[in-house]
Structures are given as structure tokens and as C-alpha cells.
Amino acid sequence: MPAIDSKLTDAKYGYDFVVATTQSSINSTMLTYINGLKTATVTKCWYSDDEGNSKMIDYNELVKQLGGADPFAVPNGTKKTAGSTVEKLYNMAFLAAFRITLGIPPGYLSDPASVPDVVVLGDNTSSVTYNMLCSKFQIIEMNYGAGPRVPPKWINLSQPSTGWVFQSKVDLRLTPVGNTGYSKLPPNVQQQVKNLGADAFGVQQLLFDLNNAGLQTVPTISGLDSSSTAGQFLTTWFVNSYFKVIQAAGQPVLNYTIVKHDNPATLVPTDLNMEVCPFLDPNGRPYASPTKAQADLASLNYLCSVFGKPLPVAVPFGWNWVSAQDAKQFDGVVSINRNTFASYLQNQLSPSVPSNCLIPTARITMTNAGFTKEYTVGASSGGTATFVTPSSGATVLTLHYENTAHDIAGLNGSEGEITLKPTYDILVTFQNDNIVIIQHLNVYLSVRNLQTTVSGNIVDKLLKDTYKLGVDGSGKLAVNRQSDPLVDKSENPSTNDFVNLFTQVNQIVAMVKSLNFASTTFQSFPIAVVQNFVFPGGRTFAFKNMAFSNNQDLTAAITYADPTTK
């Protein structure tokens, strides 16, 4: 069972729900997505103005000024000759340009297992390692030499088949509190980074966040000598002239964008933060020097609140979301706070409650100069009662309602007395993969005429329904209701005909039993009160193995759906 120790009700946490996925699953899914990504190529070009300042020029404008020639097609080392493209570039004081396409370098396509991890979570949410991979990276530069007699040198280089890896540390703390990268982003960019929609937990959104220069440190380039021609170019033009500019503006490195979709989930986050949790040893501590397999079991956790509630601060969890054995079967876990799901269920049950909360009436009328007494009773639905959520344990909701109608006749009730007291109780428990709902309806009647008293539970019925839960692939609960036989302990107090002639007890009992509430409103709750729940992340994951944790959080195992089809 996934996340058997999940306890989001603990005062340290308090998140409404958490989505946790492992480093290994993120990387495998991310590579699938990047490999199929149809993203635009980013091209940036610079020239020198009359005062010697470097200025950007649009690539299409550059081609136009070159008479339609593509500068990236000019081979490395081409000489400046009369009328050549190199001469035109020289005359317009062209400096440099690069062309980048996000993707898997072609040298890895025959051996996908050797591709570097795109994400290394580590143990600190503020410094997650991001390795940006490009399927294409081409650089061109006009090297003007040291003097007027030194001919210019044309440089045109491309990354090797295994690519250049641009490695940055990314601050994934999506909170405006503290010195976070997110807090320094413009408000419109913050909204894009903290996506609260249907795709919030997908690798598409994660890649968008990782690619935001405002969250990154200045990248280092592995697989390349920084003193080489390409290394010096990338430091000058990609890092200093391009990256640092977009970093200050909090913009994506490669103009990568995503399309947002409507969210069908029952619980839609109104705030979200991320947290990295390394894999814990049997003593609940992170491994000091984790193996690659242990590092791959680290989890990226999305901490979510709903309905506008404040999001608690990120605190390390005291359990592993995915065990080594679990990781062979699924990619992560969704866990719904016990109290949050109980609150959802309460809202579903509440509309049916007033019909069983009976408002009684009881009256004794004296007529014929006190020689005749008429006993009348009645009950109508519409009473109010409040659910209570115990702080812990399998019982997650209780409700108790009671109301009493009472009347007397004669001095201090010497002539007679009548009491009608309905009660209604609900008990809801979560355990394993079951929700158990027990309802108990009771109506107590006591009638006295002079010294003759008859009393009993005219209605005493108990319903027990077990809703066995499953989850379909899209995250919607699947429910099978099993109802125990109705337990009916209703009593039928009566008197003999002689006493009845004076007390009307039999007629009163019949009157109570004839009230419609006993048969028409006391029934099992429909399956829909549970079945309409949809887990968050339905567009991103396939779901299975739904169960309640040992602390009654509602959990489900998740596996990334094919990101190229979303």
C-alpha cells in the first residue's frame, strides 16, 4: 500500500493534499516528453552599433540585410571575399548569434539509458539541479582580430552529438516569503510558474518552472572547456548577454510555454508550494551518502491548500512517500488529508440530514369540563444538527440530533403527561479501502393518564452501509455499496382495551407509526455522495491502489500518463 504512514492532519503539516513523485519517474517521463516536444528554435543575434555597443537584431531582419542568406549556413573558417556573406556580415559589424532547440541530443537516441538526468532533486528545494539538454545548439561569431591588417575569422560551431549540458541550480520554493527566487519574479510570471490548473503536477509545468531564468543560478556548461572558442563564446553571449538579461526579467530560457486546461478535480488548489524530500533510512533520517538508487527515490512534493485556506510552511515529512518496492509498480502518490476528505463527505451528506432531524409536537387538550383528554402528537422534518470531526482515529465524522416535545394536563401533571423524543445519529469511519456509514433513528414515546404510563421506542432503526472504494484510471472514485440488513428494534407498547378506552394509547402509538418519516426518509445514502469525488492530477496521472493510510488520509498510487498526448 502506498504512503501507509501518511498523516497530513499532524499539526506540523496541515496541507489539504500532497502529490509526490520520485526523481526516477520525473526523469524518465521528462525525457519522453522532451524527446517528443515540438518546440520552436530560439535564435538570438547581435551586432555592434556606431559607438561600439552590442545590440540585438532580429534574425529575420539580419537575413533580410544579407539579401536572404542564412548566416548559420556559412561554413566554419570561411574567408571574407568580395560580395560574400562573410563580407556583408563584416560590413554590418555583425558580432555573434546562436540557435538552440530544446530536446535530446541525437547522440543519445540509440542509448537512452545514458542520457544525463534532467533533474537531480538532492536534499534542498532551493537548489535543485537542472541539466538543460538541447537537440541542437549552433553558434556563429565574427572574430575581428587584433588590428586592421588581421583578417576576420568566421566561426561556426555546433555542439557534439552528445550535446553541451547547461547545469543550473533552481529554487523551486514557490513562496513569496523569504529570499526565494519566486519572490523576485514579476507578478504575472509568478502566476505562470505557480500553475494551479489541471496540469499543475505534470512534467510540462515542471519543465516550464525549471526553465525560468529567474529561478536559476547562472549555468555552467559541462562537456566543454571554458577556455575553448565555444566556451568563451557561450560565456560571453549565451550567459552574459542573453541569460543574465532574461534572468533579471524572470523569463523562460528558451521561450518554452504550456497550454492550460480546465481542472475536473474535486479539490482544486488555491495555493501550492514545492518541497524536496530525500529518501529516508529505516531510522527516518536522510542517507548521508545516498546511492544512485536511493537518490532516485527522493520525491518532489507538491504541497496544496484548497478553498483559499492559508498554505502551511514546507516541513520535511517523517516518512517515505514511495518505497523501493513501490517504485517498481508506480511513480508516486496522491494523499488527501483525512479531515479535508471528511469535510468533502460531510458536504455531500448534509443535504439529507434535515429530513431525519425531526421536530416533534405533543399536546394534551382538556375538554368537557376536564372529563375528556385528547392526546395528539406530530413530527416534521427540518431540524438542524452539526457534524463533528474527531481529531484522530478511524471515526472521522459524527452527528447527533435530539429534540423533545412535552406536555402535561392538570395541576403539576396530575391528569396526564406525554413526551415525544426523536433522535438521529450518524457515524462515519475510514479504514482500509472502505467508508462505513451507520445511521440510527430513534423515536421515544411516553404517555401517562393519571397513574397509567406506557412508554417505548416507537421507532428504533439502524442502517449500516459499507462503501468499498476503488479508483479508475482518470482519478474518479469507483464505489460499490454493501448494505447490511436493516436492524429494526422498534417497540409496540399498547394497553388492553379497557385502559385504552381512557388513555388512547393505542391510537397515539398508531399515530406515531403512521408518520411518514419512519419509512420514506430513513434510507441509505446514494453512492453518488462518494463516487463523484475526482482526485487531483487526473490529466497527468493514471491512478490505482486507492486506500486509507493508517491515519485515515485517502491515498492512491499514481503513474505518469504519456506526456506527449496531453
Side-chain angles (χ1 to χ4, degrees):
M1 173 185 164
I4 192 170
D5 294 319
S6 178
K7 189 179 182 182
L8 298 183
T9 52
D10 191 305
K12 291 186 297 184
Y13 310 120
Y15 319 112
D16 286 309
F17 70 89
V18 172
V19 178
T21 54
T22 64
Q23 174 177 294
S24 176
S25 67
I26 291 170
N27 280 308
S28 61
T29 308
M30 185 77 79
L31 289 174
T32 299
Y33 175 63
I34 293 175
N35 191 44
L37 190 62
K38 302 295 189 294
T39 185
T41 296
V42 174
T43 305
K44 300 295 177 182
C45 311
W46 290 266
Y47 73 99
S48 178
D49 66 12
D50 293 340
E51 298 179 356
N53 300 311
S54 61
K55 300 288 186 180
M56 293 192 74
I57 180 173
D58 180 75
Y59 168 72
N60 293 323
E61 177 61 26
L62 175 62
V63 170
K64 182 180 179 181
Q65 293 188 25
L66 295 174
D70 180 5
F72 288 95
V74 179
N76 184 50
T78 298
K79 305 295 184 181
K80 180 174 78 72
T81 58
S84 67
T85 300
V86 173
E87 183 183 54
K88 294 177 182 177
L89 288 163
Y90 180 88
N91 290 338
M92 67 174 293
F94 175 82
L95 294 174
F98 63 75
R99 174 180 284 172
I100 316 174
T101 304
L102 189 67
I104 307 299
Y108 290 117
L109 296 180
S110 60
D111 185 18
S114 64
V115 182
D117 284 341
V118 177
V119 179
V120 180
L121 295 177
D123 58 4
N124 192 335
T125 313
S126 66
S127 58
V128 172
T129 300
Y130 169 50
N131 293 316
M132 187 181 77
L133 305 176
C134 300
S135 60
K136 296 178 182 178
F137 202 128
Q138 185 180 1
I139 59 178
I140 56 176
E141 183 179 28
M142 183 72 75
N143 188 327
Y144 287 91
R149 293 184 177 276
V150 179
K153 182 179 181 182
W154 177 250
I155 298 171
N156 187 335
L157 300 175
S158 295
Q159 68 176 7
S161 63
T162 54
W164 295 319
V165 179
F166 294 79
Q167 186 174 99
S168 300
K169 297 294 186 180
V170 184
D171 185 353
L172 289 180
R173 297 172 298 169
L174 303 186
T175 172
V177 179
N179 188 30
T180 64
Y182 176 85
S183 68
K184 302 170 186 176
L185 296 176
N188 64 313
V189 179
Q190 288 183 344
Q191 291 180 3
Q192 295 171 5
V193 168
K194 187 182 286 191
N195 176 8
L196 301 177
D199 304 292
F201 317 115
V203 294
Q204 301 92 327
Q205 179 65 40
L206 179 58
L207 184 61
F208 178 86
D209 295 344
L210 292 168
N211 266 295
N212 189 286
L215 302 179
Q216 297 181 12
T217 59
V218 174
T220 59
I221 306 165
S222 62
L224 182 65
D225 183 355
S226 61
S227 64
S228 67
T229 300
Q232 294 179 39
F233 173 97
L234 292 172
T235 299
T236 300
W237 298 107
F238 180 78
V239 174
N240 293 335
S241 297
Y242 173 64
F243 180 86
K244 289 183 178 179
V245 172
I246 63 172
Q247 183 183 48
Q251 296 299 317
V253 176
L254 298 181
N255 290 347
Y256 170 69
T257 60
I258 60 173
V259 178
K260 295 185 178 182
H261 300 87
D262 293 335
N263 197 338
T266 301
L267 299 177
V268 177
T270 51
D271 201 359
L272 175 152
N273 197 2
M274 292 191 200
E275 178 186 43
V276 167
C277 283
F279 191 65
L280 305 179
D281 66 20
N283 295 317
R285 301 185 182 93
Y287 286 93
S289 300
T291 64
K292 179 62 168 68
Q294 291 164 345
D296 277 343
L297 289 171
S299 61
L300 179 62
N301 309 318
Y302 297 83
L303 317 176
C304 302
S305 63
V306 298
F307 306 129
K309 291 184 283 186
L311 180 66
V313 298
V315 177
F317 292 102
W319 59 85
N320 290 316
W321 286 106
V322 179
S323 69
Q325 187 63 33
D326 290 337
K328 299 176 183 178
Q329 305 174 61
F330 47 83
D331 295 337
V333 173
V334 175
S335 181
I336 311 294
N337 186 307
R338 162 194 188 269
N339 292 349
T340 302
F341 186 66
S343 177
Y344 161 79
L345 191 59
Q346 173 183 327
N347 291 336
Q348 301 302 302
L349 299 176
S350 291
S352 300
V353 168
S355 63
N356 290 315
C357 292
L358 305 172
I359 303 171
T361 59
R363 182 73 174 168
I364 305 174
T365 304
M366 302 286 289
T367 61
N368 194 21
F371 287 99
T372 303
K373 294 187 289 290
E374 181 179 354
Y375 294 76
T376 58
V377 293
S380 60
S381 60
T384 59
T386 302
F387 279 99
V388 175
T389 302
S391 60
S392 62
T395 299
V396 298
L397 287 174
T398 63
L399 179 142
H400 176 72
Y401 170 84
E402 65 178 60
N403 202 337
T404 302
H406 177 257
D407 198 15
I408 60 175
L411 182 62
N412 297 323
S414 59
E415 293 293 327
E417 183 177 12
I418 186 169
T419 299
L420 185 65
K421 180 181 180 181
T423 62
Y424 177 57
D425 291 273
I426 299 178
L427 182 74
V428 180
T429 60
F430 294 166
Q431 196 161 17
N432 300 326
D433 58 351
N434 296 318
I435 297 175
V436 179
I437 301 178
I438 297 175
Q439 301 180 75
H440 184 202
L441 180 65
N442 185 278
V443 181
Y444 170 79
L445 173 68
S446 176
V447 180
R448 178 173 59 82
N449 181 59
L450 299 177
Q451 301 304 312
T452 303
T453 301
V454 176
S455 64
N457 294 318
I458 305 302
V459 176
D460 187 355
K461 296 185 178 183
L462 185 142
L463 274 175
K464 180 180 179 181
D465 296 298
T466 300
Y467 299 79
K468 189 173 183 62
L469 305 184
V471 61
D472 68 16
S474 65
K476 184 176 182 181
L477 285 184
V479 182
N480 179 30
R481 185 181 67 200
Q482 300 171 342
S483 299
D484 288 4
L486 175 69
V487 177
D488 190 348
K489 296 182 179 179
S490 301
E491 299 172 339
N492 190 31
S494 62
T495 64
N496 60 42
D497 290 340
F498 177 77
V499 176
N500 182 57
L501 181 64
F502 294 98
T503 65
Q504 308 168 19
V505 170
N506 286 352
Q507 291 95 324
I508 296 171
V509 170
M511 187 185 305
V512 173
K513 287 184 173 292
S514 69
L515 296 174
N516 288 334
F517 64 78
S519 59
T520 60
T521 63
F522 189 63
Q523 54 193 337
S524 299
F525 290 104
I527 289 177
V529 301
V530 180
Q531 191 164 266
N532 288 340
F533 184 86
V534 179
F535 275 93
R539 280 188 52 84
T540 301
F541 306 110
F543 295 75
K544 62 180 180 180
N545 296 358
M546 194 242 77
F548 291 105
S549 73
N550 288 341
N551 303 292
Q552 290 74 50
D553 288 345
L554 179 64
T555 69
I558 53 176
T559 302
Y560 280 108
D562 184 351
T564 62
T565 63
K566 299 296 181 181

